[in-house]
Amino acid sequence: MRVLIVEDEARLAGNIAQVLKESASLAADISTDGVDGLHMAKTNPYDLIILDLTLPGMDGLDILSELRAMDIAVPVLILTARNTRSDIITGLNRGGDDYLTKPFDMGELVARCKALIRRSYGQPHPVLEVGKLKVDTVARGVIFDNKDVRLTAMEYRTLEYLAMRAGQIVSKEELLDHLYDFNWERFSNVTEVYISTLRRKLDPDRSFDPIETVRGQGYRLKDS
Ligand code: CA
């Protein structure tokens, strides 16, 4: 999952990105300017936008209105020092999905981000169950066929995405778009490498083969 942080306090934005990466396995891009932030939001398929309101270039509420006018459905969490009841109501009524006021608790921000992403993928339960696979998106633990599976951060990120989209075909391009931020070099075969490691770790003797290759289209996590 990949998040855009539009926040002009560069240090705060950097902290948020780091925490999202380390404690929630989320890829994160940062924009410190309103105009640039809107451009990034329009041109990349983010899974969530954390949006400050008072920004150089363009106000966050105008960014939000423009995204919604373009039918861009990405969940938006407004993160701002504007904290009156009427600010909050306005933010939500302009198309925001959640609203958190500064100063805020980082753990609360992360939990809200994860809840918004889950909901947008139609997954109400924090533990994703797909056939013999269980992906605990809170503890970031994985169980397959009743056995614990140890994954690296990027392996987990890849599997969580497939589990969110269980039963559907996910192309390599979609994986690259949703799992990597701009700081990563995107090698064309990087997804193949992670998928093959996941197959080996989940199901060493290949008796279930939970990740199906759909020739010419991508991968599908089998839900039965
Ligand atoms: Ca600001």
Side-chain angles (χ1 to χ4, degrees):
M1 299 293 161
R2 183 173 168 203
V3 176
L4 173 65
I5 302 161
V6 187
E7 167 64 70
D8 60 328
E9 293 170 55
R11 197 172 175 160
L12 173 63
N15 284 343
I16 294 172
Q18 193 178 351
V19 171
L20 291 179
K21 223 166 271 191
E22 287 171 3
S23 73
S25 298
L26 297 169
D29 291 317
I30 293 171
S31 174
T32 55
D33 173 88
V35 176
D36 175 64
L38 175 62
H39 175 73
M40 286 175 76
K42 282 178 176 174
T43 51
N44 296 284
Y46 289 107
D47 296 298
L48 172 75
I49 297 175
I50 297 174
L51 183 65
D52 184 18
L53 293 185
T54 309
L55 291 161
M58 188 172 185
D59 191 84
L61 287 176
D62 295 329
I63 294 174
L64 188 53
S65 294
E66 189 149 338
L67 290 176
R68 295 316 187 212
M70 292 179 71
D71 285 333
I72 294 176
V74 58
V76 173
L77 183 153
I78 297 169
L79 182 64
T80 176
R82 295 184 205 164
N83 60 3
T84 68
R85 183 149 304 175
S86 80
D87 287 325
I88 297 170
I89 291 168
T90 303
L92 294 172
N93 284 344
R94 291 278 285 266
D97 299 284
D98 199 0
Y99 200 106
L100 192 58
T101 58
K102 298 173 183 172
F104 63 96
D105 176 78
M106 199 60 93
E108 182 180 351
L109 175 66
V110 172
R112 285 176 185 263
C113 288
K114 291 173 87 158
L116 286 165
I117 291 171
R118 264 196 326 260
R119 280 284 169 192
S120 75
Y121 278 85
Q123 301 284 2
H125 203 295
V127 179
L128 310 172
E129 287 205 47
V130 189
K132 292 176 183 302
L133 178 74
K134 282 192 184 127
V135 179
D136 183 334
T137 63
V138 176
R140 287 181 296 162
V142 172
I143 292 174
F144 186 76
D145 198 21
N146 298 315
K147 289 188 279 285
D148 279 317
V149 183
R150 292 280 181 144
L151 300 179
T152 64
M154 279 310 297
E155 289 160 7
Y156 174 82
R157 195 187 283 181
T158 307
L159 183 64
E160 187 193 76
Y161 190 80
L162 291 173
M164 286 277 191
R165 304 265 282 112
Q168 295 164 293
I169 298 171
V170 178
S171 68
K172 286 173 197 171
E173 191 177 56
E174 180 178 342
L175 283 174
L176 289 171
D177 276 343
H178 288 268
L179 302 181
Y180 298 90
D181 51 54
F182 285 124
N183 290 324
W184 279 77
E185 280 204 55
R186 298 179 180 205
F187 302 107
S188 59
N189 70 339
V190 70
T191 52
E192 279 103 320
V193 174
Y194 285 123
I195 295 286
S196 99
T197 314
L198 280 171
R199 282 179 168 145
R200 184 166 44 76
K201 287 192 176 181
L202 290 174
D203 185 27
D205 57 9
R206 292 292 181 97
S207 45
F208 301 107
D209 240 352
I211 304 172
E212 180 185 3
T213 298
V214 183
R215 199 172 287 275
Q217 296 183 66
Y219 305 102
R220 177 166 47 200
L221 195 60
K222 288 186 267 186
D223 46 13
S224 60

